[in-house]
């Protein structure tokens, strides 16, 4: 047997083993979804105004700001400031693109009251080093986050921030709740737990803020409706619709993180089904992140939701009041 044959056989065995594990993870995903009976969140509170400032995403408002295929949004609700995810920083730079953009937009780390990590993937926790150490990193060097509470989807650590695992739905501040984690089996990447935020804007309703949307938008909506008796006003963030290869790593995005086998693909009609589900809610605001959705999907959402759609652009604030 040649060396090439041995390598091919080894690669085939790896694919088979990973696929068997994926099938098991799929069963665990469905079991946890069926068995999870979340409790209602009582007295969730509300805010008079909500501002969402993308600090990290693919596209930027101007050339002075840095874009990357990751997510970090600053959520300002009245006087409360929550950092939702911390970006990618693939080169482990210091200052990171996140810190650089914050500085250019006049934001200090001391302005942050809390941090929410949607899920433990490299483009949301600050890079490969963060994943390896089961933590999150705002920059390539340690940043003091003493006094900041971090709400995370599973067991994690941090040198200075106070960690709280929020697997179950919970009000983390007056008017802001995590909908709790929802599991999704991802080929090669394992069983991924992801949480989203629901912010209640007085007189309007809930704005859902989503990291990658691995949970699937249909389940995010259902979970939100189970725990909060408040209409959904808007959905902002990543929903993972890499239908076509259009930018950077989108060939890889189409293979991984979809909940499908790598030789399968997310199809256009699947995106349409999700759009139709969102339309049933009569949303007033929709924004799709470019970090994990292709340009075709962005255009489709823009065309379908028209004036209700807003682009997610680093440095361009989204205001709801």
């Amino acid at each position: 047997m040649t060396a090439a044959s041995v390598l091919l056989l080894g690669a085939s065995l790896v694919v088979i083993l990973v696929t068997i594990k994926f099938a098991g993870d799929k069963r665990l995903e469905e079991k946890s979804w069926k068995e999870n009976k979340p409790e209602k969140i009582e007295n969730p509170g509300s805010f008079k105004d909500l501002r969402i400032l993308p600090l990290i995403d693919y596209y930027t408002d101007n050339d002075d700001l840095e874009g990357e295929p990751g997510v970090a949004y600053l959520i300002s609700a009245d006087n409360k400031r929550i950092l939702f995810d911390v970006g990618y920083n693939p080169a482990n730079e210091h200052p990171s693109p996140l810190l650089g953009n914050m500085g250019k937009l006049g934001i200090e780390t001391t302005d942050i009251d809390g941090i929410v990590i949607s899920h433990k993937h490299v483009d949301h926790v600050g890079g490969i080093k963060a994943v390896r150490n089961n933590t999150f990193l705002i920059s390539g060097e340690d940043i003091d986050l003493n006094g900041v509470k971090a709400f995370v989807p599973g067991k994690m650590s941090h040198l200075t921030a106070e960690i709280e695992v929020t697997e179950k739905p919970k009000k983390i501040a007056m008017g802001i709740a995590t909908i709790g984690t929802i599991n999704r089996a991802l080929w090669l990447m394992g069983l991924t737990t992801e949480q989203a935020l629901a912010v209640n804007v007085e007189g309007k309703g809930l704005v859902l803020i989503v990291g990658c949307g691995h949970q699937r938008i249909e389940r995010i909506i259902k979970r939100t409706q189970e725990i909060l008796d408040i209409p959904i006003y808007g959905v902002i963030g990543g929903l993972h619709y890499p239908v076509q290869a259009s930018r950077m790593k989108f060939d890889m995005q189409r293979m991984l993180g979809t909940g499908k086998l790598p030789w399968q693909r997310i199809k256009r009609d699947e995106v349409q089904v999700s759009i139709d589900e969102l339309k049933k809610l009569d949303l007033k605001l929709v924004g799709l992140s470019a970090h994990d959705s292709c340009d075709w999907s962005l255009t489709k959402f823009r065309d379908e939701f028209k004036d209700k759609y807003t682009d997610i652009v680093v440095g361009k604030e989204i205001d709801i009041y």
Side-chain angles (χ1 to χ4, degrees):
M1 183 177 288
T2 66
S5 298
V6 172
L7 287 173
L8 181 60
L9 178 61
S12 299
L13 287 173
V14 169
V15 169
I16 291 168
L17 291 173
V18 171
T19 302
I20 291 171
K21 183 181 184 301
F22 174 65
D25 287 343
K26 290 284 286 184
R27 290 191 290 271
L28 291 174
E29 170 196 321
E30 291 305 314
K31 184 175 185 289
S32 66
W33 176 251
K34 290 176 181 177
E35 293 180 353
N36 195 320
K37 305 296 181 185
E39 297 181 1
K40 291 277 187 186
I41 293 178
E42 304 294 339
N43 303 314
S46 64
F47 292 98
K48 291 184 178 179
D49 66 83
L50 169 65
R51 289 161 288 140
I52 303 169
L53 178 61
L55 298 173
I56 289 294
D57 212 297
Y58 194 89
Y59 291 117
T60 65
D61 191 41
N62 60 68
D63 292 339
D64 288 335
L65 299 169
E66 188 171 350
E68 61 175 30
V71 160
Y73 304 146
L74 183 66
I75 302 164
S76 300
D78 291 349
N79 295 320
K80 193 78 173 177
R81 282 187 164 185
I82 302 289
L83 181 61
F84 182 81
D85 287 339
V86 296
Y88 187 5
N89 192 17
N92 196 37
E93 297 174 287
H94 181 74
S96 63
L98 172 59
L99 275 190
N101 288 342
M102 287 173 62
K104 291 168 185 174
L105 294 168
I107 300 162
E108 303 287 342
T109 55
T110 52
D111 296 331
I112 297 169
D113 299 304
I115 293 173
V116 172
I117 300 298
S118 64
H119 63 299
K120 298 192 284 185
H121 284 177
V122 292
D123 47 343
H124 296 260
V125 299
I128 293 173
K129 180 180 176 182
V131 170
R132 287 173 177 166
N133 292 305
N134 196 31
T135 188
F136 62 89
L137 299 172
I138 286 182
S139 192
E141 295 183 9
D142 293 333
I143 302 296
D144 187 1
L145 295 175
N146 254 311
V148 175
K149 178 172 277 192
F151 302 92
V152 300
K155 186 178 179 181
M156 297 179 78
S157 62
H158 194 272
L159 288 175
T160 52
E162 179 186 349
I163 296 289
E164 180 174 344
V165 178
T166 46
E167 292 179 343
K168 295 182 178 180
K170 178 179 180 176
K171 181 170 71 175
I172 64 172
M174 185 62 69
I176 305 176
T178 168
I179 69 169
T181 59
I182 299 173
N183 292 331
R184 184 76 184 278
L186 303 177
W187 191 88
L188 189 62
M189 304 172 80
L191 196 64
T192 296
T193 58
E194 184 172 350
Q195 63 181 333
L197 284 185
V199 184
N200 188 23
V201 183
E202 187 176 306
K204 295 189 181 297
L206 300 174
V207 177
L208 298 180
I209 302 168
V210 186
C212 259
H214 291 303
Q215 315 100 300
R216 287 173 284 188
I217 189 59
E218 296 83 359
R219 289 189 172 181
I220 293 171
I221 291 168
K222 182 171 175 57
R223 168 66 63 80
T224 302
Q225 292 173 333
E226 286 174 340
I227 64 173
L228 291 163
D229 295 321
I230 301 169
I232 299 173
Y233 178 86
V235 176
I236 297 291
L239 297 178
H240 204 89
Y241 296 129
V243 176
Q244 296 178 345
S246 56
R247 286 176 272 108
M248 286 185 61
K249 62 174 185 176
F250 276 94
D251 278 326
M252 187 61 69
Q253 289 273 29
R254 293 168 71 202
M255 292 176 64
L256 302 177
T258 64
K260 296 172 176 281
L261 293 168
W263 47 89
Q264 298 173 331
R265 296 289 184 268
I266 292 178
K267 298 178 181 177
R268 295 184 181 189
D269 59 352
E270 293 177 76
V271 177
Q272 186 65 58
V273 168
S274 295
I275 288 172
D276 292 341
E277 286 297 311
L278 288 169
K279 282 188 170 182
K280 290 177 184 178
L281 300 173
D282 190 26
L283 299 174
K284 301 300 187 291
L285 177 68
V286 177
L288 182 63
S289 170
H291 95 280
D292 66 352
S293 288
C294 66
D295 289 336
W296 179 88
S297 295
L298 297 181
T299 299
K300 182 66 174 174
F301 266 67
R302 197 178 291 116
D303 290 345
E304 290 276 352
F305 290 100
K306 299 183 177 16
D307 60 336
K308 297 177 181 178
Y309 185 82
T310 185
D311 289 310
I312 298 178
V313 178
V314 174
K316 183 181 177 183
E317 194 168 71
I318 301 167
D319 298 326
I320 305 105
Y321 51 86

